[in-house]
Amino acid sequence: MKQFTPLNGLVVPIDRSNVDTDAIIPKQFLKSILRTGFGPNLFDAWRYLDEGQPGQDNARRPINPDFVLNQQRYQGAQVLLARENFGCGSSREHAPWALDDYGIRAVIAPSFADIFYNNCFKSGLLPIVLPADVVDQLFHAVAAHPGYRLVVDLAAQTVTTPEGVAHGFAVDEFRKYCLLNGLDEIGLTLRHADEIRAYEARRAQSEPWIFGVSA
Amino acid sequence: MNPLSLYEKLWQSHVVREESDGTALLYIDRHLVHEVTSPQAFEGLRLAHRDLWRVGSILATADHNTPTTNQKVIADPVSRLQVDTLDDNCRRYGITEYPMGDHRQGIVHVIGPEQGATLPGMTVVCGDSHTSTHGAFAALAMGIGTSEVEHVMATQTLLSRKAKIMQVNVEGVLRPGVTAKDVALAIIGHIGTAGGTGHAIEFAGSVIRGLSMEGRMTLCNMAIEAGARAGMVAVDDVTLRYLEGRPYAPKGAQWQAAVAYWRTLHSDEGARFDQKVTLDAGTFEPLVTWGTSPEMVVSITGRVPDPALESDVTRREGMERALRYMDLQPNMAISDIAIDKVFIGSCTNSRLEDLRAAAAVLKGRKVASSLKLALVVPGSGLVKAAAEAEGLDKIFMAAGFEWRNPGCSMCLGMNDDRLSPGERCASTSNRNFEGRQGAGGRTHLVSPQMAAAAAVAGHFVDVRTFLD
Ligand code: SF4
């Protein structure tokens, strides 16, 4: 897992609710067997005017000038500001991979779809839930101030505005610990291998059919 | 003893250890694998020199990229590589796989239950959000991401936190022409696509008890569309009758022991729920989605809603955007919406019961001449064979449908089956997101019989007028 370091990042707003994983990374790009290279196709259907295909030279495609990601003032954004239920839809981890590959480090929204929220941590991306009215204020602030940045501090669990207003956010202790230290969760879990084996032995007694091999 | 809900029973019986912050290591009994979300997980294992913890827990199949016409060749080299990679990985690790061409191959969520690989009391995971389908068997079934797929492969466990629990009671009796799909859409329309966020939903009530396993799977399949992490239904005789004799189901004395345990898999009287919702099914009608989110749904007898009447700004803008994308006008009658294509299939509605229901509407009828394509894609090779044994394929083809080979197909169009920009489809799948069935394509979610009726009429139509 990638380590999350404190961030002072340019904010890009995606002002619509229920942004789904098909929108974040359309299915034709899921055919890749790699974890990287999805950035150029993040929000592909909104970002380009033609229909994207894997393996294309994206630099030659017609871009949609109306889409925020294409506007000059948001180039280099690292914080994505979103509305409710961000990341709904499929379990594809390609969605956080695409955001990460593009350069986004944190996503702020009033709510996230569960699987997407979970997947973010695995890719070193920080999903932050802030109250809907705070998110709304941030949308206004971003619109009003080109170059608007937010400071995201995971250790302190705060998002701080340029005016110095700090908004606290919640995060599970264990996830925070793993993300701050860039820990390998599988390695951590395998330290409990004996407990897993003991559990398995008990279940093999009580529900042997679970461990039967295929018919 | 404390009364427990079904979810709590399943949760407690799988906790290997729990951290002080509530993060638990949950043991995973069954791991279903498909080609799209697994290659990076296998790669990760190899890079870390790790092995599979329990290879017998895994069942694999290729479904998303598989062509539905000729299953011998995948023309697209990128799709082919992904399917070949799955085959290679399964061979290398000794994983049971139903590859393309195997008569048991199909959509992962259709074949798991069909093989009896999904059993009550199990934890079931798959790198796919519609894993919620398997909860129909009183299993705790969750969709996971690829890093978690790797975690389960290497440790047989998942790091998880207890969800909140919502009980959705559907009482009363379904009227003719109203199906499990309409129940699912009605629930989503009621609680919204984020209504179940952070929750596991237990579906209960007389209507659920009256559904077949196929219907319960349709319902649990769409629990994820209500934002829920999992959907589930208690064990009853319907569950047991479905499972007995399936290849992976226990046999003989083990079957007896299993049944005795499985019978305890229901919420106890007085169990605690974080939320309870009760719906009266007597008011349900056949439904059609009009927008780009499954919660944007209305009765076939209704009209496209008017955003001007919505007071919440974000919601209103969402509706306006959806209407623009769908190219619909406010207040237009749903039955005036003409369609270009019809898709009957997907892990929501591609089982034998679904095909029978659609065929019953199509028997002796023809699809409208205005239709560009009407497609039936059975959920698995076994569903296909069973349907053919009943002559359903003949009914579909006589009506003008194409009868294809199993896979996800036009549910998401990773293979060649998709909508062209601007095309409008009556689809039995589960997602009507922008571009879901093909860039620029417009999806309306309906039940199999409503899709069949729309195919005949060339526009949405109340299937009840076909049933008399
Ligand atoms: S049929 Fe559709 S929803 Fe189901 S697994 Fe396949 S792509 Fe996903």
Side-chain angles (χ1 to χ4, degrees):
Chain A
M1 183 191 280
K2 219 167 63 184
Q3 205 173 352
F4 190 90
T5 45
L7 168 75
N8 178 3
L10 184 71
V11 184
V12 61
I14 304 264
D15 195 2
R16 49 169 102 186
S17 46
N18 298 315
V19 170
D20 60 74
T21 52
D22 280 270
I24 298 172
I25 183 82
K27 69 254 166 177
Q28 60 270 36
F29 304 106
L30 309 188
K31 296 177 184 182
S32 168
I33 56 171
L34 306 174
R35 254 175 208 267
T36 51
F38 297 101
N41 301 109
L42 174 70
F43 295 118
D44 196 272
W46 295 342
R47 211 158 131 201
Y48 302 96
L49 293 170
D50 63 346
E51 190 191 334
Q53 290 305 329
Q56 252 175 329
D57 178 3
N58 294 292
R60 304 173 75 104
R61 296 173 58 197
I63 66 160
N64 173 7
D66 296 337
F67 186 55
V68 280
L69 242 49
N70 291 326
Q71 292 169 13
Q72 198 49 46
R73 61 183 281 197
Y74 298 120
Q75 298 313 302
Q78 291 181 295
V79 178
L80 189 121
L81 187 63
R83 295 285 185 184
E84 66 189 17
N85 203 26
F86 187 84
C88 60
S90 89
S91 68
R92 65 187 71 160
E93 204 162 311
H94 312 67
W97 292 342
L99 288 161
D100 176 63
D101 198 54
Y102 178 83
I104 301 293
R105 306 290 320 285
V107 185
I108 300 173
S111 61
F112 291 90
D114 286 334
I115 304 179
F116 175 84
Y117 182 82
N118 210 16
N119 280 342
C120 281
F121 288 94
K122 318 283 173 187
S123 325
L125 200 69
L126 179 63
I128 298 171
V129 177
L130 290 181
D133 57 331
V134 173
V135 170
D136 208 44
Q137 285 165 23
L138 292 177
F139 266 101
H140 288 293
V142 172
H145 306 286
Y148 192 84
R149 304 177 85 86
L150 287 169
V151 174
V152 179
D153 187 339
L154 174 58
Q157 295 181 222
T158 51
V159 173
T160 309
T161 68
E163 300 80 41
V165 182
H167 301 285
F169 61 88
V171 58
D172 294 339
E173 274 310 312
F174 183 72
R175 281 176 166 147
K176 176 176 166 180
Y177 171 71
C178 289
L179 197 52
L180 278 176
N181 299 293
L183 294 176
D184 164 24
E185 285 185 0
I186 296 180
L188 285 180
T189 299
L190 285 175
R191 293 196 309 207
H192 306 300
D194 289 346
E195 277 175 82
I196 302 172
R197 273 187 215 104
Y199 171 90
E200 250 174 352
R202 287 200 302 279
R203 281 293 295 297
Q205 291 295 316
S206 63
E207 289 169 73
W209 54 87
I210 301 286
F211 299 88
V213 275
S214 76
Chain B
M1 243 180 25
N2 262 348
L4 293 178
S5 66
L6 171 57
Y7 176 80
E8 286 170 298
K9 290 180 185 179
L10 294 171
W11 174 268
Q12 285 182 4
S13 61
H14 287 87
V15 173
V16 174
R17 60 174 280 126
E18 202 163 345
E19 305 293 338
S20 56
D21 77 339
T23 307
L25 215 49
L26 213 56
Y27 189 80
I28 301 304
D29 298 321
R30 176 69 64 211
H31 189 180
L32 302 167
V33 166
H34 66 63
E35 79 276 20
V36 180
T37 50
S38 65
Q40 296 89 348
F42 282 113
E43 178 73 22
L45 285 183
R46 277 195 288 277
L47 289 175
H49 305 289
R50 287 182 175 128
D51 213 352
L52 297 179
W53 183 282
R54 184 159 67 84
V55 66
S57 67
I58 306 178
L59 179 60
T61 196
D63 52 9
H64 284 60
N65 285 279
T66 54
T68 55
T69 40
N70 179 350
Q71 279 221 327
K72 299 257 153 41
V73 233
I74 302 182
D76 175 356
V78 193
S79 283
R80 194 169 55 226
L81 176 64
Q82 204 166 53
V83 172
D84 288 348
T85 303
L86 177 67
D87 293 349
D88 288 347
N89 280 322
C90 290
R91 221 173 292 127
R92 183 159 174 173
Y93 289 97
I95 294 168
T96 305
E97 187 200 9
Y98 303 145
M100 277 195 344
D102 189 297
H103 66 289
R104 296 161 298 184
Q105 179 266 339
I107 306 172
V108 71
H109 308 308
V110 174
I111 68 166
E114 191 171 74
Q115 295 296 324
T118 301
L119 294 171
M122 272 186 169
T123 43
V124 180
V125 295
C126 175
D128 193 286
S129 58
H130 290 100
T131 309
S132 59
T133 311
H134 307 264
F137 293 86
L140 178 53
M142 295 170 291
I144 57 177
T146 297
S147 295
E148 291 176 317
V149 168
E150 186 181 334
H151 192 279
V152 173
M153 284 176 170
T155 71
Q156 211 58 39
T157 62
L158 185 69
L159 281 163
S160 192
R161 292 175 68 85
K162 208 168 172 179
K164 287 188 236 158
I165 320 162
M166 178 189 286
Q167 189 188 47
V168 175
N169 275 296
V170 190
E171 301 290 353
V173 184
L174 291 182
R175 295 187 291 184
V178 182
T179 69
K181 179 64 162 286
D182 302 298
V183 175
L185 288 170
I187 293 170
I188 296 165
H190 185 79
I191 69 173
T193 45
T197 304
H199 289 75
I201 298 182
E202 180 180 348
F203 298 103
S206 58
V207 165
I208 311 303
R209 284 194 299 278
L211 290 177
S212 65
M213 286 317 294
E214 281 88 344
R216 294 175 190 183
M217 283 189 259
T218 300
L219 190 59
C220 290
N221 175 274
M222 292 199 69
I224 184 76
E225 256 54 67
R229 212 179 282 184
M232 60 192 70
V233 176
V235 169
D236 62 8
D237 291 340
V238 179
T239 324
L240 301 177
R241 266 200 304 277
Y242 178 98
L243 286 171
E244 192 164 11
R246 303 252 162 201
Y248 278 80
K251 314 270 168 351
Q254 271 198 8
W255 170 260
Q256 299 305 332
V259 167
Y261 170 55
W262 293 346
R263 290 242 183 238
T264 69
L265 295 175
H266 53 77
S267 289
D268 297 331
E269 192 70 36
R272 193 193 56 83
F273 294 95
D274 297 280
Q275 278 197 68
K276 269 191 179 190
V277 176
T278 300
L279 296 172
D280 173 14
T283 62
F284 289 2
E285 295 192 283
L287 299 177
V288 181
T289 63
W290 56 267
T292 52
S293 162
E295 69 186 6
M296 295 172 163
V297 67
V298 66
S299 160
I300 177 63
T301 60
R303 291 177 178 276
V304 174
D306 189 347
L309 302 177
E310 173 62 55
S311 52
D312 181 276
V313 185
T314 308
R315 284 184 74 92
R316 182 165 67 235
E317 286 174 1
M319 290 170 78
E320 286 165 354
R321 194 179 298 116
L323 289 182
R324 267 197 308 279
Y325 182 85
M326 295 298 288
D327 191 28
L328 294 174
Q329 300 307 317
N331 300 315
M332 155 177 202
I334 296 294
S335 55
D336 283 343
I337 302 174
I339 53 172
D340 304 301
K341 290 183 174 172
V342 174
F343 171 61
I344 297 178
S346 89
C347 57
T348 314
N349 283 128
S350 64
R351 299 176 185 86
L352 189 58
E353 179 180 290
D354 302 314
L355 304 189
R356 278 182 186 150
V361 172
L362 291 170
K363 193 163 191 177
R365 295 189 168 100
K366 290 247 181 269
V367 305
S369 58
S370 56
L371 238 56
K372 292 185 196 162
L373 178 70
L375 204 60
V376 196
V377 182
S380 71
L382 293 176
V383 168
K384 184 175 188 229
E388 287 174 354
E390 292 181 10
L392 301 185
D393 56 327
K394 304 250 164 22
I395 298 175
F396 280 114
M397 287 189 283
F401 269 79
E402 294 190 18
W403 179 249
R404 297 283 186 85
N405 286 310
C408 296
S409 178
M410 215 159 75
C411 172
L412 92 169
M414 270 184 84
N415 66 354
D416 293 330
D417 310 331
R418 47 183 103 123
L419 299 180
S420 299
E423 280 180 344
R424 191 182 295 286
C425 182
S427 177
T428 66
S429 53
N430 43 48
R431 286 190 179 140
N432 51 353
F433 299 160
E434 286 185 17
R436 170 76 179 180
Q437 295 189 282
R442 300 173 176 134
T443 303
H444 296 268
L445 305 176
V446 287
S447 72
Q449 37 277 61
M450 281 289 287
V456 171
H459 54 84
F460 291 106
V461 62
D462 194 336
V463 66
R464 291 172 294 189
T465 61
F466 282 58
L467 297 177
D468 318 324

